[in-house]
Structures are given as C-alpha cells and as structure tokens.
Amino acid sequence: MKNQDYNSRRTFLRNLGAGASALSLPLAGFGETLTYQNEHTGIHSLVTNLDSIRSSQPGRKLGIALVGLGSYSKNQLAPALQQTQYCRLAGIVTGTPAKATEWMQKYNIPKENVYDYKNFDRIADNKDIDVIYVVLPNSMHAEYVIKAAQAGKHVICEKPMAIYPKECQAMIDACKKANKQLAIGYRLHYEPFTKEVMRLGQEKVFGAVKFIESSDGFRSGDPTQWRLKKSMAGGGPLMDVGIYAIQGTRYITGEEPITVSAQFAPKTDPVKFKDVEETMFWQFEFPGGAVSNSTTSYAAGVERLYASCEKGWFELSPAFGYGPLKGRTSKGPIEMPVVNHQAAHMDGVCKDLLDGKQLPDHVTGAEGLRDVTLLQAIYRAAETGRKINLKKA
Ligand code: NAD
C-alpha cells in the first residue's frame, strides 16, 4: 500500500522548491486554470491559494451521525468531534433510549437527529447529516454501511471493514451505486509519526527494508463481551488489533505480501477463549525481499513496529494506540507533532469530501478489503499449517 497522497504532496512541494517560474494548473471541478508566476514567493502563495480556492463551501462542517454509542464513540469519537474543523457531531443512532437522552443533552443534538435501528432508514431525509459513521460490532458493519449508502450518505466504517471479503465487496458496490464515498477508520494514516515511518520505509531512507517486526496485543477483560464471540467479532485479537500489525508491515513496505504462514499459540484460558484465538503469530514475505513477523494477543500487551533496513533501522513503540506515539531511528529520535488521531482522521476525510475530491485509496473500502482478505488468509494458514501463496489466493 502506497501512501500516495502524502508522497505526492511531498513531491509536489519538492518540485515547487526547485523553482518553477510559471505554473498553470487545471483545478478539478472548478473549470478554471490558476496561473501563478513568481519564482521567489511561489511556494507559499500557491499552496494557500489552492487551499482556499478548492474549499468550495468555506466554513461549512459536514454533519456526522455516529451509529453505535459504545466505548469508541463515547470516549474517542464524540470528544474528538468537539475539536474538528471540517465536521461536527450532528446525529446519533442508538437502540438505548437512556443513551439518546444523555447524548442529546451533552452534545446539544436535536431530537429529529436521533434514530434507532428500526427507523434508521429515515435518516435519508435528514439534510443535516452528510456522513454516517458505523461504530458497531464487526459482524454488523456490512449491513449498516450498505443501509447508509442506500440512504444517500457518505460512510465511514470502523476497522475491520467486515469479516469476509465478499461483505467488503458488497459494501464497496453499494457505495459506488449510490455515488457516495466509503472511508475506513484508519486513523493512523493521518497521524504524523505513522506518516513518517511510511516515508522512511517507502522512500528507502535507510536503504531497502529487510525485516519488520510488527505486533499488537493487550490483556482482554470482560469474558462476556462480543469481541470474544466469533459470530460477532469474526475472530479474536487478529480481527481487533492484529489488523494494525498487518497494516504496519504494508505501510512500511508500500507493498502487498506474496506469502503468509501463521500459527496459533496454545490457549492458557480455553474457557474464556473457547470461540476465538487467544494469541497468534504470522509471517509475510514481500515482493521487494522484506520479511515480517507479527504477534497479536488478548493475553499479553505488545505494541511495536520495528523495521531493520540495509543501512539502519527505525521503530515506533507505542505504535498503534491513541498516542502519543513514540519513534526512534538508528540516527536518533523521531520528532513529530502529537495530534488527536480521531480528529485528524475525521477532518482529513471530511475535508476531501467537502472539496469534492476522491479519498486516497489507502483509507477507503479498497484498503479495508485488502486487509480483510489478509485476515482470512492468516486464519487459513494457521488452520492448515501451510504457507499460502497470496498471489494465487
Ligand atoms: P463497544 O462494545 O464498546 O460498542 C459497540 C456498540 O454497538 C454498543 O453501543 C452496543 O450497544 C452497540 N450494539 C448494537 N447492536 C449490538 C449487538 N447486537 N451486540 C452488541 N453491541 C451492539 O465496542 P467498541 O469498542 O466501541 O467497538 C466498535 C467498533 O469500533 C468495532 O468494530 C471496533 O473494532 C472499532 N474500534 C476501532 C478503534 C480504532 O482505534 N479505530 C478503537 C476501538 C474500536
């Protein structure tokens, strides 16, 4: 996976820095051409001009409706939506009337913007809501993303996009048919430390990447939660946080793995983990020659993304949580601004939507489908004990 948006902006700025004396840029969707001539002050003025001209609806914030008011909505997304520049918390969908009352008061949400799962489809008539953000258990993502698209809204769906690739494809198709965009909750793609390790790996700053260690796990609590039920979660820690470890290997290399091998660890609590794996390991081979080893677990904490390259190394640890993330390289610490991940993510997505731009591929349903395909390949490799050739899978 290439972080093309990030890299193309860097290349664009670098090219400008080379001293363009006359630029003539067609502006998509505006039917006009901006011509700028100034060798010395060009960079700053041009970017400022582009940003303001592109902002077709200056000052407007897209209205987001959160579907599912569980932990992530309550503790991360709603607070982040108080800080966002391009979107705001406009509505909620909940099956619990007490939560509706609490949220309406706390966030000043009008009654007509509150829905339950039975009257969800009526959201189609609500002009205040532009984007529906699905924050439900994994097995419910496909159904509500498809309903949201059919209601004529853009959609953000939490990770993992779904449990099976065919569900992902149906979600992509529904959004395409409705002519609406589909983003996945890949908050780290808007996070500066993560964007920096994407650059270090993909631009081969320390030479070619040879080996990646990428692991994410934590000690899971409540034994009754949906995350431990295969029918709702699709699996155990691999579906929940292992997906971050998969992403890490893909965004450091900018490549898709060509083989996968995987192993389940023995269960230390077979009662709690009767339905899903407790801990597992997997290895990828990449076309450029890099290999990776990953762990995910509900029994032990681990959160690390490390890359060993021909001429040095770099790492993030913590690498995947809500931050602040911390990074080092063989040449010294990585210094980056600390941002609110959820606010950066929702603003990044909504700014593109407001500007009428296509979302970068690596934050869309296409990327979600690639990850879900790999999740299922990892399970298949662990179940069969065989190395799977992903080019044929
Ligand atoms: P949660 O259990 O705290 O919340 C789930 C919500 O779904 C609850 O409000 C619950 O009432 C509602 N719900 C509706 N129907 C339900 C049903 N039949 N069974 C169970 N719950 C039902 O979970 P969460 O931690 O908020 O996770 C929700 C989604 O967000 C998951 O897909 C998860 O992977 C994702 N998530 C992403 C991040 C991230 O960093 N991007 C972090 C946490 C969670």
Side-chain angles (χ1 to χ4, degrees):
M1 166 201 39
K2 295 269 183 211
N3 186 357
Q4 278 160 342
D5 186 49
Y6 174 61
N7 285 334
S8 63
R9 185 174 168 84
R10 290 176 62 86
T11 311
F12 176 63
L13 290 171
R14 206 182 299 129
N15 290 344
L16 279 176
S21 61
L23 286 169
S24 190
L25 300 177
L27 296 178
F30 291 91
E32 60 179 290
T33 299
L34 173 73
T35 305
Y36 190 89
Q37 292 182 306
N38 189 323
E39 197 166 336
H40 305 290
T41 57
I43 297 174
H44 182 74
S45 303
L46 180 65
V47 172
T48 308
N49 283 347
L50 270 178
D51 281 346
S52 60
I53 289 169
R54 278 208 188 111
S55 191
S56 50
Q57 303 165 78
R60 178 159 131 73
K61 290 184 171 194
L62 292 180
I64 291 190
L66 296 176
V67 186
L69 306 182
S71 166
Y72 194 55
S73 285
K74 180 176 176 188
N75 300 319
Q76 271 74 45
L77 297 176
L81 280 163
Q82 310 313 303
Q83 301 179 24
T84 41
Q85 200 184 339
Y86 299 106
C87 48
R88 63 190 177 89
L89 178 58
I92 48 176
V93 180
T94 175
T96 314
K99 281 191 198 171
T101 310
E102 183 194 325
W103 279 63
M104 277 161 62
Q105 279 169 4
K106 185 165 182 186
Y107 292 112
N108 203 16
I109 300 170
K111 200 165 179 225
E112 57 273 19
N113 290 3
V114 178
Y115 297 85
D116 60 29
Y117 297 102
K118 290 194 202 87
N119 66 19
F120 179 88
D121 295 337
R122 278 197 233 145
I123 215 164
D125 303 323
N126 193 326
K127 298 240 177 322
D128 222 14
I129 292 167
D130 306 283
V131 180
I132 293 179
Y133 196 153
V134 177
V135 203
L136 290 165
N138 307 343
S139 62
M140 301 173 75
H141 290 181
E143 178 184 352
Y144 281 90
V145 166
I146 291 168
K147 280 179 192 248
Q150 286 169 348
K153 308 294 181 182
H154 295 295
V155 197
I156 308 178
C157 175
E158 257 318 315
K159 44 56 58 178
M161 180 176 173
I163 296 174
Y164 298 106
K166 67 172 188 284
E167 294 175 287
C168 299
Q169 192 58 57
M171 296 155 86
I172 292 168
D173 292 346
C175 291
K176 195 172 171 197
K177 188 170 173 199
N179 204 16
K180 293 290 153 186
Q181 298 212 52
L182 170 58
I184 308 300
Y186 289 133
R187 58 183 162 78
L188 291 172
H189 290 237
Y190 294 88
E191 194 284 322
F193 284 85
T194 307
K195 284 162 70 172
E196 179 61 2
V197 297
M198 289 177 185
R199 185 184 74 84
L200 295 177
Q202 292 182 24
E203 293 186 6
K204 300 185 173 46
V205 173
F206 290 91
V209 177
K210 304 298 288 178
F211 169 70
I212 301 170
E213 192 181 86
S214 174
S215 298
D216 199 5
F218 67 99
R219 277 182 71 79
S220 136
D222 179 9
T224 66
Q225 62 185 300
W226 63 263
R227 280 184 167 81
L228 300 178
K229 295 187 174 84
K230 189 166 183 202
S231 61
M232 298 212 77
L238 181 65
M239 295 300 279
D240 192 24
V241 289
I243 189 169
Y244 288 107
I246 295 174
Q247 277 265 307
T249 60
R250 293 180 54 240
Y251 56 61
I252 280 182
T253 57
E255 294 174 357
E256 298 307 317
I258 49 176
T259 72
V260 59
S261 313
Q263 308 79 35
F264 293 118
K267 292 185 183 183
T268 62
D269 189 341
V271 177
K272 184 171 177 182
F273 298 104
K274 66 177 184 308
D275 219 16
V276 299
E277 77 279 2
E278 180 180 321
T279 297
M280 72 183 297
F281 316 101
W282 69 96
Q283 301 79 38
F284 286 143
E285 292 174 274
F286 288 87
V291 290
S292 66
N293 192 24
S294 295
T295 304
T296 189
S297 180
Y298 272 162
V302 56
E303 196 189 322
R304 186 175 188 227
L305 179 58
Y306 174 89
S308 183
C309 313
E310 284 170 324
K311 293 182 284 182
W313 54 265
F314 56 89
E315 74 168 354
L316 292 182
S317 186
F320 306 115
Y322 304 144
L325 305 188
K326 204 167 167 206
R328 303 189 294 156
T329 77
S330 43
K331 286 197 174 151
I334 298 177
E335 310 279 7
M336 284 288 151
V338 171
V339 303
N340 177 303
H341 295 193
Q342 290 77 19
H345 170 237
M346 290 186 282
D347 261 346
V349 169
C350 289
K351 180 162 190 332
D352 278 351
L353 294 177
L354 277 167
D355 289 348
K357 282 168 61 179
Q358 207 62 35
L359 292 170
D361 177 80
H362 60 93
V363 301
T364 65
E367 179 77 353
L369 169 59
R370 286 190 278 270
D371 278 339
V372 170
T373 303
L374 289 172
L375 290 168
Q376 290 303 335
I378 291 169
Y379 281 130
R380 217 161 54 245
E383 281 155 12
T384 60
R386 291 215 298 270
K387 184 197 270 193
I388 291 181
N389 183 343
L390 293 165
K391 285 191 289 192
K392 287 189 197 145

